[in-house]
Every structure is written in C-alpha cells, then in structure tokens.
Amino acid sequence: MAKTPDKIDERAQYLLKLLVNKYIKEGIPVGSRTLSKEFDVDLSSATIRNIMADLEDMGLVCSPHTSAGRIPTVLGYRLFVDSLLQVKPLENSEIQVISTQLAQVQQNEQELLTQTSSLLSEITHLASVVMLPRRLCNTLRHVEFLPLSDKRVLVILVVNDHEVQNRIIQTSHQYSASELERTSNYLNNAFIGKDLNAVRSQITTEMQEARESMDKLMQAVIEMTTQVFPDKADSKRDYVMSGQTNLMDIVDLSNIEKLRHLFSAFNQKHDILQLFDQVIDSQGMQIFIGDESGYEVLGDCSIVTSPYVVNGEIIGVLGVIGPTRMAYEHIIPVVDLTAKLLGSALNH
C-alpha cells in the first residue's frame, strides 16, 4: 500500500475530501476557484491555493497536463479511503435485492457463485470477481454413475455433506447400468470420508501395479476415478467473473490498448488470483488503488475486495474491479454485504 503523509492538518484534509468527492462525481480536474465557489469553505482564495499547492507537494494531488485544476493521486485516494471517506449505509431495497436473489439459488454452489458475481456487477456497474471456494479438503460423501448414450456417463458427486456436483464424462466404451452400479458401490464402500485427491492417488497408484490382472470392475473404477476425481496438478484455483464489458463504457479506462491487456489478465487469471490470495491471508476487507496491486495492468484500476466465511473459515474472496475514480462510499458496503450473504448462503 502507498504510504500517506504523517502530518496533514484538518483544513487540508477537508479540502482534499471535497476535491476527491467532486472529482469522483464529475471526472473533471478541480480548481481552487471551484472549491471556493461551490462549497461552504470559510477560507480565502489565496489560502485555498496555498493548501492545494501543499497537497500537491505531498503527492496527494496532481495537475494533469496544463489544466488549472487538480486530481487525486493514488496517495490521495488512499488517504481519502482510509481516513476521510464516509461510507453510505445501503438502502433497504438494495439489501433486499441482494438477499432475495442469493437466497433463491443457495442449494447449488456453482449457480450461487455465478449469480453472486452477476448481481455484484449489475449493482456496481463494474466488473465483479468471485473466487471459487478454497477448501483445505473436499471430502467424498457419495458418488453415483448413470449410463447415457454414446459412451457417456452421468456422474453425481456429493462432497463436504451438502455440495452436489453433476457432470457428464466420456468413457472408453459403453458401460451397463450394473457395471456402473458396482463401480459406485466399490468407491462408496472404500472411500467415503476421504479427500478427493487422496481417492485418485490411492486408486491410480495401487491399480497401475495390477493393470494386467484387472477385471472389468477394476477397469471401470480406474477409468471413472481418473476422470471424476481431481489430480492435484489439475485442481487449479479459479473464479467467476461478470461485467467485464462495463469497463469499456468508463472514460477513465477507455484506452483500447490498456483494455486489451486488462482483459487478457482477466482471461489468464493468475494475477487476479494472486491478488485475491492476499485478501485471504490478511483476513479482512482490502482495497487496492492503482499501482498498489503490484500489477502494471491494474495500474489504472481500483479493486475492492472482501473475504467470505463458511463455518468460521475464510474460503474465498469476492470483489469488484473498476477505475480509481469509483464511488467508494457505495461500492465498499455493497461488496462487504455481498460477501457476508454469500458466506451465509454457503453455510446452509
């Protein structure tokens, strides 16, 4: 995080707050004359100009190009967010919308995460990211295989008591219902309560040694295991993202080349996930402004993030990505509430 100046008097803080709020609202550099005319500032024009010059010397504001007005720097935004910002309570209608929409899909984890991301982008008009839950252990509770046509199998997988996953896999040949039932019975009897990674590791290790003497049941078990249960190398972290196109409508981010690099970072995911990992490790709401993220591609962006908690454990992070000139007083409580409601929904 950028380090803010140790000493800044109340008059300077007040003027900085007025300037930042004005710039966030209108996106136009703010001059001393504007502050003097539009706000009830009991200071002479000369005093305001001197204070603005001092703020610029401290690196809190700067003058873009030849403009007579000033805009906040990353350091200025940081002081504003940490010390001067007045967060607005959410309207009851906003709280009701978020609560109701998340409550409607809480039985399906993937759908819930997707809906949360979509809802967050709709409310904020920014890009939203919901990191998939990072659990220390995904425990097998039940697995069932049902035959479909064309060598396909429907897999019903229950993990961690409540999470149900349905997927279709392609197999090497057409298994009968009885073969699939024996396969699921074997896995359920031998591995209930085991971590999914451990199931795959144990079966592949033991059965590779006896591949030539395998009967049909064991052949089915190993094929299903390698397709259904994750390999540690393949169980990469991921996130659900919505509203990327919202960023294309924001003047501050309208540089086509910068947008291209930003969208590339969204697709590659590595940088965003590493940034969100910092939020998990810090165990609290985090706001990254401009180059504070440590990633050049996010240099013109602010990211407001909050972890979500299930059974007392932080298992993921959600947040929004937008310009540094965003309505922090509204975005922060929206992100905070959404994280709390998502954690609550996942607890059910």
mmCIF file of all heavy atoms in Angstrom, residues 23-25 27 72 74 77 81 124-127 243-244 246-254 259 262 266 287-291 297-304 320-328 331:
data_model
loop_
_atom_site.group_PDB
_atom_site.id
_atom_site.type_symbol
_atom_site.label_atom_id
_atom_site.label_comp_id
_atom_site.label_asym_id
_atom_site.label_seq_id
_atom_site.Cartn_x
_atom_site.Cartn_y
_atom_site.Cartn_z
ATOM 1 N N TYR A 23 -14.253 15.186 -7.833
ATOM 2 C CA TYR A 23 -13.645 14.535 -8.998
ATOM 3 C C TYR A 23 -14.286 13.166 -9.271
ATOM 4 O O TYR A 23 -14.516 12.803 -10.426
ATOM 5 C CB TYR A 23 -12.140 14.377 -8.785
ATOM 6 C CG TYR A 23 -11.450 13.751 -9.974
ATOM 7 C CD1 TYR A 23 -11.364 14.419 -11.185
ATOM 8 C CD2 TYR A 23 -10.914 12.458 -9.898
ATOM 9 C CE1 TYR A 23 -10.772 13.843 -12.294
ATOM 10 C CE2 TYR A 23 -10.310 11.873 -10.996
ATOM 11 C CZ TYR A 23 -10.242 12.565 -12.192
ATOM 12 O OH TYR A 23 -9.654 11.987 -13.279
ATOM 13 N N ILE A 24 -14.588 12.407 -8.210
ATOM 14 C CA ILE A 24 -15.253 11.114 -8.393
ATOM 15 C C ILE A 24 -16.600 11.314 -9.077
ATOM 16 O O ILE A 24 -16.994 10.554 -9.971
ATOM 17 C CB ILE A 24 -15.428 10.400 -7.037
ATOM 18 C CG1 ILE A 24 -14.083 9.834 -6.556
ATOM 19 C CG2 ILE A 24 -16.454 9.268 -7.147
ATOM 20 C CD1 ILE A 24 -14.124 9.205 -5.182
ATOM 21 N N LYS A 25 -17.311 12.351 -8.689
ATOM 22 C CA LYS A 25 -18.648 12.591 -9.223
ATOM 23 C C LYS A 25 -18.619 13.059 -10.667
ATOM 24 O O LYS A 25 -19.433 12.614 -11.499
ATOM 25 C CB LYS A 25 -19.365 13.630 -8.353
ATOM 26 C CG LYS A 25 -20.796 13.903 -8.769
ATOM 27 C CD LYS A 25 -21.449 14.905 -7.828
ATOM 28 C CE LYS A 25 -22.890 15.174 -8.244
ATOM 29 N NZ LYS A 25 -23.549 16.163 -7.342
ATOM 30 N N GLY A 27 -15.452 13.761 -12.720
ATOM 31 C CA GLY A 27 -14.327 13.361 -13.560
ATOM 32 C C GLY A 27 -13.592 14.517 -14.213
ATOM 33 O O GLY A 27 -12.888 14.311 -15.203
ATOM 34 N N PRO A 72 -6.934 13.735 -7.722
ATOM 35 C CA PRO A 72 -6.242 12.964 -6.688
ATOM 36 C C PRO A 72 -5.259 11.968 -7.295
ATOM 37 O O PRO A 72 -5.491 11.416 -8.374
ATOM 38 C CB PRO A 72 -7.382 12.245 -5.959
ATOM 39 C CG PRO A 72 -8.536 12.268 -6.895
ATOM 40 C CD PRO A 72 -8.371 13.453 -7.786
ATOM 41 N N VAL A 74 -2.874 8.353 -6.464
ATOM 42 C CA VAL A 74 -3.100 7.115 -5.713
ATOM 43 C C VAL A 74 -2.952 7.377 -4.220
ATOM 44 O O VAL A 74 -3.740 6.900 -3.391
ATOM 45 C CB VAL A 74 -2.111 6.016 -6.168
ATOM 46 C CG1 VAL A 74 -2.136 4.825 -5.202
ATOM 47 C CG2 VAL A 74 -2.446 5.558 -7.584
ATOM 48 N N TYR A 77 -6.068 9.223 -3.030
ATOM 49 C CA TYR A 77 -7.183 8.292 -2.877
ATOM 50 C C TYR A 77 -6.999 7.437 -1.623
ATOM 51 O O TYR A 77 -7.963 7.156 -0.897
ATOM 52 C CB TYR A 77 -7.289 7.370 -4.090
ATOM 53 C CG TYR A 77 -8.021 7.947 -5.274
ATOM 54 C CD1 TYR A 77 -7.410 8.038 -6.522
ATOM 55 C CD2 TYR A 77 -9.345 8.373 -5.171
ATOM 56 C CE1 TYR A 77 -8.081 8.540 -7.630
ATOM 57 C CE2 TYR A 77 -10.021 8.880 -6.265
ATOM 58 C CZ TYR A 77 -9.382 8.965 -7.495
ATOM 59 O OH TYR A 77 -10.056 9.472 -8.580
ATOM 60 N N VAL A 81 -9.695 7.165 1.308
ATOM 61 C CA VAL A 81 -10.371 5.919 1.652
ATOM 62 C C VAL A 81 -10.112 5.530 3.107
ATOM 63 O O VAL A 81 -11.022 5.087 3.823
ATOM 64 C CB VAL A 81 -9.926 4.781 0.700
ATOM 65 C CG1 VAL A 81 -10.368 3.415 1.219
ATOM 66 C CG2 VAL A 81 -10.481 5.019 -0.697
ATOM 67 N N THR A 124 -23.079 -2.589 -9.102
ATOM 68 C CA THR A 124 -21.976 -1.621 -9.098
ATOM 69 C C THR A 124 -21.677 -1.043 -10.471
ATOM 70 O O THR A 124 -20.977 -0.037 -10.581
ATOM 71 C CB THR A 124 -20.700 -2.288 -8.557
ATOM 72 O OG1 THR A 124 -20.314 -3.372 -9.431
ATOM 73 C CG2 THR A 124 -20.908 -2.821 -7.152
ATOM 74 N N HIS A 125 -22.150 -1.706 -11.532
ATOM 75 C CA HIS A 125 -21.848 -1.317 -12.922
ATOM 76 C C HIS A 125 -20.339 -1.405 -13.197
ATOM 77 O O HIS A 125 -19.801 -0.638 -13.998
ATOM 78 C CB HIS A 125 -22.361 0.091 -13.229
ATOM 79 C CG HIS A 125 -23.818 0.270 -12.958
ATOM 80 N ND1 HIS A 125 -24.790 -0.353 -13.704
ATOM 81 C CD2 HIS A 125 -24.469 0.989 -11.987
ATOM 82 C CE1 HIS A 125 -25.986 -0.021 -13.232
ATOM 83 N NE2 HIS A 125 -25.816 0.782 -12.195
ATOM 84 N N LEU A 126 -19.683 -2.343 -12.511
ATOM 85 C CA LEU A 126 -18.260 -2.583 -12.701
ATOM 86 C C LEU A 126 -18.059 -4.061 -13.001
ATOM 87 O O LEU A 126 -19.020 -4.819 -13.122
ATOM 88 C CB LEU A 126 -17.486 -2.175 -11.436
ATOM 89 C CG LEU A 126 -17.610 -0.706 -11.008
ATOM 90 C CD1 LEU A 126 -16.939 -0.487 -9.661
ATOM 91 C CD2 LEU A 126 -17.021 0.230 -12.059
ATOM 92 N N ALA A 127 -16.807 -4.479 -13.140
ATOM 93 C CA ALA A 127 -16.504 -5.904 -13.301
ATOM 94 C C ALA A 127 -16.451 -6.545 -11.916
ATOM 95 O O ALA A 127 -15.922 -5.954 -10.972
ATOM 96 C CB ALA A 127 -15.170 -6.086 -14.013
ATOM 97 N N GLY A 243 -19.465 -8.803 -15.942
ATOM 98 C CA GLY A 243 -19.475 -7.362 -16.138
ATOM 99 C C GLY A 243 -18.203 -6.761 -16.699
ATOM 100 O O GLY A 243 -18.000 -5.544 -16.589
ATOM 101 N N GLN A 244 -17.351 -7.573 -17.333
ATOM 102 C CA GLN A 244 -16.118 -7.005 -17.894
ATOM 103 C C GLN A 244 -16.431 -5.884 -18.894
ATOM 104 O O GLN A 244 -15.712 -4.890 -18.971
ATOM 105 C CB GLN A 244 -15.294 -8.082 -18.611
ATOM 106 C CG GLN A 244 -14.840 -9.234 -17.725
ATOM 107 C CD GLN A 244 -15.770 -10.418 -17.814
ATOM 108 O OE1 GLN A 244 -16.984 -10.265 -17.654
ATOM 109 N NE2 GLN A 244 -15.218 -11.593 -18.080
ATOM 110 N N ASN A 246 -18.620 -3.731 -18.763
ATOM 111 C CA ASN A 246 -18.928 -2.455 -18.098
ATOM 112 C C ASN A 246 -17.726 -1.514 -18.141
ATOM 113 O O ASN A 246 -17.881 -0.288 -18.201
ATOM 114 C CB ASN A 246 -19.324 -2.682 -16.640
ATOM 115 C CG ASN A 246 -20.701 -3.315 -16.497
ATOM 116 O OD1 ASN A 246 -21.543 -3.187 -17.378
ATOM 117 N ND2 ASN A 246 -20.930 -3.989 -15.396
ATOM 118 N N LEU A 247 -16.535 -2.089 -18.106
ATOM 119 C CA LEU A 247 -15.324 -1.277 -18.070
ATOM 120 C C LEU A 247 -15.102 -0.539 -19.390
ATOM 121 O O LEU A 247 -14.434 0.497 -19.415
ATOM 122 C CB LEU A 247 -14.109 -2.157 -17.752
ATOM 123 C CG LEU A 247 -14.178 -2.951 -16.442
ATOM 124 C CD1 LEU A 247 -12.889 -3.728 -16.220
ATOM 125 C CD2 LEU A 247 -14.456 -2.034 -15.256
ATOM 126 N N MET A 248 -15.659 -1.073 -20.459
ATOM 127 C CA MET A 248 -15.477 -0.440 -21.766
ATOM 128 C C MET A 248 -16.237 0.882 -21.866
ATOM 129 O O MET A 248 -15.934 1.720 -22.706
ATOM 130 C CB MET A 248 -15.932 -1.398 -22.872
ATOM 131 C CG MET A 248 -15.157 -2.701 -22.906
ATOM 132 S SD MET A 248 -15.826 -3.906 -24.082
ATOM 133 C CE MET A 248 -15.468 -3.075 -25.631
ATOM 134 N N ASP A 249 -17.220 1.070 -20.981
ATOM 135 C CA ASP A 249 -18.030 2.289 -21.011
ATOM 136 C C ASP A 249 -17.500 3.367 -20.074
ATOM 137 O O ASP A 249 -18.097 4.441 -19.966
ATOM 138 C CB ASP A 249 -19.481 1.951 -20.620
ATOM 139 C CG ASP A 249 -20.129 0.979 -21.592
ATOM 140 O OD1 ASP A 249 -19.805 1.057 -22.790
ATOM 141 O OD2 ASP A 249 -20.936 0.141 -21.154
ATOM 142 N N ILE A 250 -16.392 3.070 -19.381
ATOM 143 C CA ILE A 250 -15.837 4.020 -18.417
ATOM 144 C C ILE A 250 -14.734 4.830 -19.082
ATOM 145 O O ILE A 250 -13.749 4.274 -19.573
ATOM 146 C CB ILE A 250 -15.300 3.276 -17.175
ATOM 147 C CG1 ILE A 250 -16.456 2.550 -16.468
ATOM 148 C CG2 ILE A 250 -14.612 4.241 -16.217
ATOM 149 C CD1 ILE A 250 -16.013 1.640 -15.347
ATOM 150 N N VAL A 251 -14.907 6.138 -19.109
ATOM 151 C CA VAL A 251 -13.973 7.021 -19.807
ATOM 152 C C VAL A 251 -12.551 6.832 -19.299
ATOM 153 O O VAL A 251 -11.587 6.785 -20.099
ATOM 154 C CB VAL A 251 -14.407 8.493 -19.646
ATOM 155 C CG1 VAL A 251 -13.363 9.430 -20.236
ATOM 156 C CG2 VAL A 251 -15.771 8.714 -20.286
ATOM 157 N N ASP A 252 -12.387 6.691 -17.992
ATOM 158 C CA ASP A 252 -11.052 6.577 -17.398
ATOM 159 C C ASP A 252 -10.294 5.342 -17.884
ATOM 160 O O ASP A 252 -9.068 5.273 -17.789
ATOM 161 C CB ASP A 252 -11.143 6.521 -15.868
ATOM 162 C CG ASP A 252 -11.890 7.710 -15.281
ATOM 163 O OD1 ASP A 252 -12.990 8.001 -15.795
ATOM 164 O OD2 ASP A 252 -11.398 8.328 -14.323
ATOM 165 N N LEU A 253 -11.027 4.343 -18.380
ATOM 166 C CA LEU A 253 -10.398 3.094 -18.816
ATOM 167 C C LEU A 253 -10.576 2.860 -20.315
ATOM 168 O O LEU A 253 -10.469 1.735 -20.785
ATOM 169 C CB LEU A 253 -11.001 1.911 -18.039
ATOM 170 C CG LEU A 253 -10.855 1.949 -16.512
ATOM 171 C CD1 LEU A 253 -11.602 0.782 -15.879
ATOM 172 C CD2 LEU A 253 -9.385 1.901 -16.110
ATOM 173 N N SER A 254 -10.839 3.933 -21.064
ATOM 174 C CA SER A 254 -11.238 3.769 -22.461
ATOM 175 C C SER A 254 -10.084 3.570 -23.439
ATOM 176 O O SER A 254 -10.300 3.411 -24.631
ATOM 177 C CB SER A 254 -12.067 4.985 -22.906
ATOM 178 O OG SER A 254 -11.301 6.174 -22.768
ATOM 179 N N LEU A 259 -7.152 -1.622 -22.248
ATOM 180 C CA LEU A 259 -8.269 -2.549 -22.065
ATOM 181 C C LEU A 259 -7.916 -3.944 -22.561
ATOM 182 O O LEU A 259 -8.286 -4.954 -21.954
ATOM 183 C CB LEU A 259 -9.504 -2.036 -22.797
ATOM 184 C CG LEU A 259 -10.405 -1.048 -22.061
ATOM 185 C CD1 LEU A 259 -11.515 -0.573 -22.983
ATOM 186 C CD2 LEU A 259 -10.990 -1.658 -20.801
ATOM 187 N N LEU A 262 -5.831 -5.551 -20.004
ATOM 188 C CA LEU A 262 -6.635 -5.837 -18.823
ATOM 189 C C LEU A 262 -7.498 -7.072 -19.038
ATOM 190 O O LEU A 262 -7.548 -7.973 -18.189
ATOM 191 C CB LEU A 262 -7.515 -4.626 -18.501
ATOM 192 C CG LEU A 262 -8.318 -4.664 -17.201
ATOM 193 C CD1 LEU A 262 -7.403 -4.802 -16.002
ATOM 194 C CD2 LEU A 262 -9.178 -3.410 -17.074
ATOM 195 N N PHE A 266 -7.601 -10.809 -17.195
ATOM 196 C CA PHE A 266 -8.803 -11.473 -16.711
ATOM 197 C C PHE A 266 -8.864 -12.916 -17.204
ATOM 198 O O PHE A 266 -9.226 -13.832 -16.461
ATOM 199 C CB PHE A 266 -10.058 -10.730 -17.182
ATOM 200 C CG PHE A 266 -10.245 -9.368 -16.568
ATOM 201 C CD1 PHE A 266 -11.064 -8.426 -17.183
ATOM 202 C CD2 PHE A 266 -9.615 -9.010 -15.385
ATOM 203 C CE1 PHE A 266 -11.256 -7.174 -16.618
ATOM 204 C CE2 PHE A 266 -9.800 -7.759 -14.817
ATOM 205 C CZ PHE A 266 -10.619 -6.838 -15.437
ATOM 206 N N ILE A 287 -8.632 -2.893 -0.081
ATOM 207 C CA ILE A 287 -8.842 -2.047 -1.249
ATOM 208 C C ILE A 287 -7.477 -1.739 -1.863
ATOM 209 O O ILE A 287 -6.592 -1.226 -1.177
ATOM 210 C CB ILE A 287 -9.560 -0.742 -0.871
ATOM 211 C CG1 ILE A 287 -10.922 -1.061 -0.249
ATOM 212 C CG2 ILE A 287 -9.733 0.157 -2.098
ATOM 213 C CD1 ILE A 287 -11.595 0.136 0.392
ATOM 214 N N PHE A 288 -7.321 -2.100 -3.119
ATOM 215 C CA PHE A 288 -6.076 -1.839 -3.838
ATOM 216 C C PHE A 288 -6.342 -0.710 -4.829
ATOM 217 O O PHE A 288 -7.242 -0.808 -5.665
ATOM 218 C CB PHE A 288 -5.601 -3.086 -4.586
ATOM 219 C CG PHE A 288 -5.371 -4.273 -3.691
ATOM 220 C CD1 PHE A 288 -6.395 -5.172 -3.430
ATOM 221 C CD2 PHE A 288 -4.139 -4.498 -3.107
ATOM 222 C CE1 PHE A 288 -6.199 -6.275 -2.607
ATOM 223 C CE2 PHE A 288 -3.919 -5.586 -2.280
ATOM 224 C CZ PHE A 288 -4.951 -6.472 -2.025
ATOM 225 N N ILE A 289 -5.572 0.357 -4.722
ATOM 226 C CA ILE A 289 -5.788 1.532 -5.563
ATOM 227 C C ILE A 289 -4.605 1.702 -6.513
ATOM 228 O O ILE A 289 -3.453 1.799 -6.083
ATOM 229 C CB ILE A 289 -5.950 2.796 -4.706
ATOM 230 C CG1 ILE A 289 -7.122 2.636 -3.720
ATOM 231 C CG2 ILE A 289 -6.164 4.025 -5.585
ATOM 232 C CD1 ILE A 289 -7.230 3.744 -2.699
ATOM 233 N N GLY A 290 -4.904 1.711 -7.814
ATOM 234 C CA GLY A 290 -3.853 1.923 -8.802
ATOM 235 C C GLY A 290 -2.728 0.912 -8.681
ATOM 236 O O GLY A 290 -2.962 -0.296 -8.589
ATOM 237 N N ASP A 291 -1.494 1.415 -8.660
ATOM 238 C CA ASP A 291 -0.336 0.517 -8.663
ATOM 239 C C ASP A 291 -0.096 -0.183 -7.328
ATOM 240 O O ASP A 291 0.857 -0.956 -7.190
ATOM 241 C CB ASP A 291 0.931 1.266 -9.102
ATOM 242 C CG ASP A 291 1.207 2.494 -8.243
ATOM 243 O OD1 ASP A 291 0.609 2.630 -7.165
ATOM 244 O OD2 ASP A 291 2.029 3.342 -8.675
ATOM 245 N N VAL A 297 -0.780 -3.933 -15.165
ATOM 246 C CA VAL A 297 -2.008 -3.951 -15.950
ATOM 247 C C VAL A 297 -3.185 -3.387 -15.148
ATOM 248 O O VAL A 297 -4.167 -2.920 -15.715
ATOM 249 C CB VAL A 297 -2.313 -5.393 -16.423
ATOM 250 C CG1 VAL A 297 -2.746 -6.278 -15.257
ATOM 251 C CG2 VAL A 297 -3.369 -5.402 -17.523
ATOM 252 N N LEU A 298 -3.087 -3.399 -13.821
ATOM 253 C CA LEU A 298 -4.154 -2.884 -12.963
ATOM 254 C C LEU A 298 -3.853 -1.475 -12.464
ATOM 255 O O LEU A 298 -4.522 -0.971 -11.564
ATOM 256 C CB LEU A 298 -4.363 -3.823 -11.764
ATOM 257 C CG LEU A 298 -4.823 -5.243 -12.090
ATOM 258 C CD1 LEU A 298 -4.784 -6.125 -10.848
ATOM 259 C CD2 LEU A 298 -6.232 -5.237 -12.687
ATOM 260 N N GLY A 299 -2.870 -0.829 -13.071
ATOM 261 C CA GLY A 299 -2.408 0.470 -12.604
ATOM 262 C C GLY A 299 -3.446 1.573 -12.662
ATOM 263 O O GLY A 299 -3.358 2.554 -11.910
ATOM 264 N N ASP A 300 -4.443 1.459 -13.534
ATOM 265 C CA ASP A 300 -5.487 2.473 -13.631
ATOM 266 C C ASP A 300 -6.772 2.048 -12.918
ATOM 267 O O ASP A 300 -7.802 2.707 -13.045
ATOM 268 C CB ASP A 300 -5.818 2.765 -15.101
ATOM 269 C CG ASP A 300 -4.649 3.411 -15.833
ATOM 270 O OD1 ASP A 300 -3.944 4.219 -15.207
ATOM 271 O OD2 ASP A 300 -4.442 3.099 -17.020
ATOM 272 N N CYS A 301 -6.688 0.960 -12.183
ATOM 273 C CA CYS A 301 -7.888 0.382 -11.565
ATOM 274 C C CYS A 301 -7.818 0.423 -10.047
ATOM 275 O O CYS A 301 -6.746 0.492 -9.449
ATOM 276 C CB CYS A 301 -8.056 -1.081 -11.992
ATOM 277 S SG CYS A 301 -8.270 -1.320 -13.768
ATOM 278 N N SER A 302 -8.988 0.361 -9.445
ATOM 279 C CA SER A 302 -9.098 0.071 -8.020
ATOM 280 C C SER A 302 -9.849 -1.241 -7.872
ATOM 281 O O SER A 302 -10.765 -1.536 -8.652
ATOM 282 C CB SER A 302 -9.841 1.183 -7.275
ATOM 283 O OG SER A 302 -8.993 2.267 -7.010
ATOM 284 N N ILE A 303 -9.458 -2.031 -6.886
ATOM 285 C CA ILE A 303 -10.100 -3.309 -6.626
ATOM 286 C C ILE A 303 -10.560 -3.311 -5.175
ATOM 287 O O ILE A 303 -9.747 -3.160 -4.257
ATOM 288 C CB ILE A 303 -9.147 -4.499 -6.873
ATOM 289 C CG1 ILE A 303 -8.605 -4.464 -8.311
ATOM 290 C CG2 ILE A 303 -9.862 -5.817 -6.645
ATOM 291 C CD1 ILE A 303 -7.233 -3.883 -8.440
ATOM 292 N N VAL A 304 -11.860 -3.445 -4.970
ATOM 293 C CA VAL A 304 -12.444 -3.508 -3.624
ATOM 294 C C VAL A 304 -12.818 -4.953 -3.348
ATOM 295 O O VAL A 304 -13.620 -5.541 -4.088
ATOM 296 C CB VAL A 304 -13.683 -2.595 -3.511
ATOM 297 C CG1 VAL A 304 -14.290 -2.690 -2.102
ATOM 298 C CG2 VAL A 304 -13.319 -1.151 -3.835
ATOM 299 N N VAL A 320 -14.896 -6.190 -6.675
ATOM 300 C CA VAL A 320 -15.177 -5.513 -7.932
ATOM 301 C C VAL A 320 -13.921 -4.801 -8.415
ATOM 302 O O VAL A 320 -13.070 -4.377 -7.626
ATOM 303 C CB VAL A 320 -16.338 -4.502 -7.812
ATOM 304 C CG1 VAL A 320 -17.632 -5.203 -7.456
ATOM 305 C CG2 VAL A 320 -16.024 -3.420 -6.794
ATOM 306 N N ILE A 321 -13.820 -4.686 -9.735
ATOM 307 C CA ILE A 321 -12.695 -4.004 -10.382
ATOM 308 C C ILE A 321 -13.257 -2.870 -11.219
ATOM 309 O O ILE A 321 -14.169 -3.070 -12.033
ATOM 310 C CB ILE A 321 -11.902 -4.974 -11.275
ATOM 311 C CG1 ILE A 321 -11.358 -6.139 -10.443
ATOM 312 C CG2 ILE A 321 -10.761 -4.241 -11.988
ATOM 313 C CD1 ILE A 321 -10.695 -7.224 -11.267
ATOM 314 N N GLY A 322 -12.722 -1.686 -10.999
ATOM 315 C CA GLY A 322 -13.186 -0.520 -11.747
ATOM 316 C C GLY A 322 -12.108 0.547 -11.774
ATOM 317 O O GLY A 322 -10.959 0.287 -11.416
ATOM 318 N N PRO A 323 -12.446 1.755 -12.186
ATOM 319 C CA PRO A 323 -11.454 2.830 -12.234
ATOM 320 C C PRO A 323 -11.115 3.311 -10.828
ATOM 321 O O PRO A 323 -11.882 3.090 -9.881
ATOM 322 C CB PRO A 323 -12.184 3.921 -13.026
ATOM 323 C CG PRO A 323 -13.628 3.710 -12.683
ATOM 324 C CD PRO A 323 -13.796 2.221 -12.576
ATOM 325 N N THR A 324 -9.976 3.969 -10.687
ATOM 326 C CA THR A 324 -9.656 4.556 -9.378
ATOM 327 C C THR A 324 -10.708 5.585 -8.999
ATOM 328 O O THR A 324 -10.964 5.803 -7.807
ATOM 329 C CB THR A 324 -8.261 5.216 -9.402
ATOM 330 O OG1 THR A 324 -8.199 6.148 -10.496
ATOM 331 C CG2 THR A 324 -7.165 4.170 -9.559
ATOM 332 N N ARG A 325 -11.315 6.201 -9.982
ATOM 333 C CA ARG A 325 -12.384 7.174 -9.726
ATOM 334 C C ARG A 325 -13.716 6.432 -9.622
ATOM 335 O O ARG A 325 -14.587 6.506 -10.476
ATOM 336 C CB ARG A 325 -12.428 8.214 -10.854
ATOM 337 C CG ARG A 325 -13.378 9.380 -10.607
ATOM 338 C CD ARG A 325 -13.288 10.415 -11.729
ATOM 339 N NE ARG A 325 -13.778 9.896 -13.001
ATOM 340 C CZ ARG A 325 -15.061 9.917 -13.377
ATOM 341 N NH1 ARG A 325 -15.981 10.394 -12.572
ATOM 342 N NH2 ARG A 325 -15.395 9.451 -14.562
ATOM 343 N N MET A 326 -13.890 5.679 -8.539
ATOM 344 C CA MET A 326 -15.138 4.961 -8.323
ATOM 345 C C MET A 326 -15.828 5.496 -7.062
ATOM 346 O O MET A 326 -15.203 6.128 -6.215
ATOM 347 C CB MET A 326 -14.902 3.453 -8.202
ATOM 348 C CG MET A 326 -14.157 3.032 -6.944
ATOM 349 S SD MET A 326 -14.239 1.236 -6.609
ATOM 350 C CE MET A 326 -13.466 0.504 -8.036
ATOM 351 N N ALA A 327 -17.098 5.201 -6.929
ATOM 352 C CA ALA A 327 -17.887 5.671 -5.783
ATOM 353 C C ALA A 327 -17.634 4.754 -4.581
ATOM 354 O O ALA A 327 -18.468 3.913 -4.228
ATOM 355 C CB ALA A 327 -19.365 5.700 -6.145
ATOM 356 N N TYR A 328 -16.488 4.933 -3.935
ATOM 357 C CA TYR A 328 -16.083 4.051 -2.839
ATOM 358 C C TYR A 328 -17.131 3.982 -1.731
ATOM 359 O O TYR A 328 -17.325 2.918 -1.125
ATOM 360 C CB TYR A 328 -14.750 4.528 -2.242
ATOM 361 C CG TYR A 328 -13.572 4.457 -3.184
ATOM 362 C CD1 TYR A 328 -13.174 5.576 -3.911
ATOM 363 C CD2 TYR A 328 -12.865 3.267 -3.350
ATOM 364 C CE1 TYR A 328 -12.089 5.518 -4.781
ATOM 365 C CE2 TYR A 328 -11.774 3.200 -4.223
ATOM 366 C CZ TYR A 328 -11.401 4.336 -4.932
ATOM 367 O OH TYR A 328 -10.328 4.270 -5.793
ATOM 368 N N ILE A 331 -19.633 1.461 -3.128
ATOM 369 C CA ILE A 331 -19.071 0.173 -3.537
ATOM 370 C C ILE A 331 -18.647 -0.654 -2.316
ATOM 371 O O ILE A 331 -18.911 -1.862 -2.243
ATOM 372 C CB ILE A 331 -17.852 0.372 -4.470
ATOM 373 C CG1 ILE A 331 -18.259 1.131 -5.740
ATOM 374 C CG2 ILE A 331 -17.207 -0.967 -4.801
ATOM 375 C CD1 ILE A 331 -19.255 0.412 -6.605
#
